[in-house]
């Protein structure tokens, strides 16, 4: 949650007032954006869900982040060394606001008043993103597969309640948590036997 900022109103005002903003629709499976060197784009996912994907040298698809409504992403939050290293792919129909960080201090042709507000709002947007990335780093720093699973489930439960649907397939979840898929599957089975969780395909209910 962004402190002192209603993200829905922010997006509506921003998109209606600023000539430098783009609002685009994407269908499931389409590439929303490719992270490019020196572009400094930032995006806000207005609706839908999407994944930040990286492909390794063997062509394996690795999900590094999952985005839902009001998520923020773009090159400004990552060290980009080569073009096309990261892709953001739509998991369903999405609407996205796209803007260049380089345009923050440049006036629109229409000299919109809202553009000035962006300068004061932007630190809150960045703080929110940093908080999300910090949570991910903390999650990946956990040593065992069990701790990573429970840590991730706890994060989802804070957002969605005790019962939630995983945004990933089992293979994608293993990649996201940087664990072996077979080991993770065994650990999920153990957590069910020990009554830590109840699982129905991708739906998880925490029992503790």
């Amino acid at each position: 949650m962004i402190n002192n900022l209603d993200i829905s109103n922010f997006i509506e005002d921003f998109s209606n007032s600023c000539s430098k903003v783009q609002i685009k629709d994407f269908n499931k499976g389409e590439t929303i954006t490719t992270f490019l060197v020196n572009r400094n784009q930032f995006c806000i996912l207005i609706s839908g869900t999407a994944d930040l994907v990286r492909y390794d040298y063997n062509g394996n698809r690795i999900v590094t982040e999952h985005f839902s409504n009001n998520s923020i992403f773009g090159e400004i939050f990552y060290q980009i060394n080569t073009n096309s290293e990261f892709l953001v792919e739509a998991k369903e129909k999405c609407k996205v606001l796209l803007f260049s960080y380089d345009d923050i201090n440049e006036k629109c042709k229409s000299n919109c008043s809202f553009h000035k507000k962006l300068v004061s709002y932007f630190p809150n947007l960045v703080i929110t993103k940093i908080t999300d990335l910090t949570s991910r780093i903390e999650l990946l720093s956990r040593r065992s597969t069990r701790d990573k699973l429970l840590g991730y489930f706890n994060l989802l439960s804070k957002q969605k309640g005790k019962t939630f649907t995983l945004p990933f397939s089992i293979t994608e979840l293993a990649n996201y948590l940087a664990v072996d898929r077979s080991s993770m599957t065994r650990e999920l089975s153990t957590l069910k036997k020990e009554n830590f969780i109840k699982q129905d395909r991708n739906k998880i209910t925490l029992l503790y």
Side-chain angles (χ1 to χ4, degrees):
M1 183 64 65
I2 299 176
N3 294 331
N4 302 318
L5 174 61
D6 185 324
I7 188 66
S8 298
N9 288 338
F10 171 83
I11 292 171
E12 182 178 358
D13 290 344
F14 194 9
S15 59
N16 290 336
S17 303
C18 183
S19 63
K20 293 183 179 293
V21 168
Q22 289 182 299
I23 301 288
K24 293 185 177 181
D25 293 311
F26 299 89
N27 293 319
K28 180 179 179 180
E30 287 188 327
T31 297
I32 294 173
T33 188
T34 301
F35 286 10
L36 303 176
V37 176
N38 297 327
R39 184 171 60 173
N40 294 329
Q41 184 185 64
F42 80 86
C43 310
I44 301 177
L45 186 59
I46 298 173
S47 63
T49 56
D51 287 333
L52 177 61
V53 176
R54 179 175 62 84
Y55 289 89
D56 65 17
Y57 292 110
N58 295 318
N60 297 312
R61 182 179 184 273
I62 301 171
V63 177
T64 59
E65 273 195 83
H66 177 71
F67 304 124
S68 55
N69 288 12
N70 301 334
S71 290
I72 305 164
F73 53 91
E75 293 97 343
I76 62 170
F77 302 110
Y78 297 87
Q79 181 65 44
I80 305 300
N81 298 314
T82 59
N83 290 343
S84 303
E85 185 175 358
F86 290 99
L87 306 173
V88 179
E89 298 179 350
K91 296 197 70 173
E92 58 185 317
K93 189 173 182 179
C94 293
K95 185 181 290 292
V96 183
L97 179 152
L98 303 98
F99 189 81
S100 174
Y101 177 77
D102 297 332
D103 289 334
I104 284 182
N105 293 314
E106 293 184 12
K107 291 183 179 180
C108 299
K109 292 180 180 179
S110 60
N111 197 26
C112 72
S113 60
F114 185 78
H115 202 97
K116 298 176 183 177
K117 296 180 183 178
L118 175 62
V119 176
S120 61
Y121 283 155
F122 196 76
N124 281 330
L125 295 173
V126 173
I127 288 171
T128 297
K129 184 62 179 181
I130 290 173
T131 300
D132 291 342
L133 292 175
T134 300
S135 296
R136 173 121 170 85
I137 292 170
E138 192 278 330
L139 185 65
L140 292 177
S141 68
R142 299 188 178 204
R143 293 189 176 184
S144 71
T145 298
R146 183 188 186 93
D147 284 346
K148 288 182 178 181
L149 280 170
L150 291 177
Y152 183 58
F153 292 164
N154 285 333
L155 286 176
L156 289 181
S157 69
K158 290 178 181 178
Q159 301 169 5
K160 304 177 183 298
K162 287 287 188 178
T163 298
F164 49 83
T165 300
L166 295 173
F168 306 120
S169 68
I170 293 300
T171 299
E172 289 173 338
L173 179 60
N175 288 334
Y176 181 76
L177 296 177
V179 298
D180 178 75
R181 184 185 185 280
S182 297
S183 297
M184 189 190 74
T185 301
R186 288 195 297 270
E187 194 58 60
L188 283 171
S189 179
T190 299
L191 289 171
K192 286 187 288 185
K193 290 178 181 178
E194 294 178 356
N195 290 320
F196 275 87
I197 65 169
K198 179 180 178 181
Q199 181 182 11
D200 181 11
R201 296 186 180 181
N202 274 22
K203 182 177 287 186
I204 302 290
T205 299
L206 301 187
L207 302 177
Y208 59 90

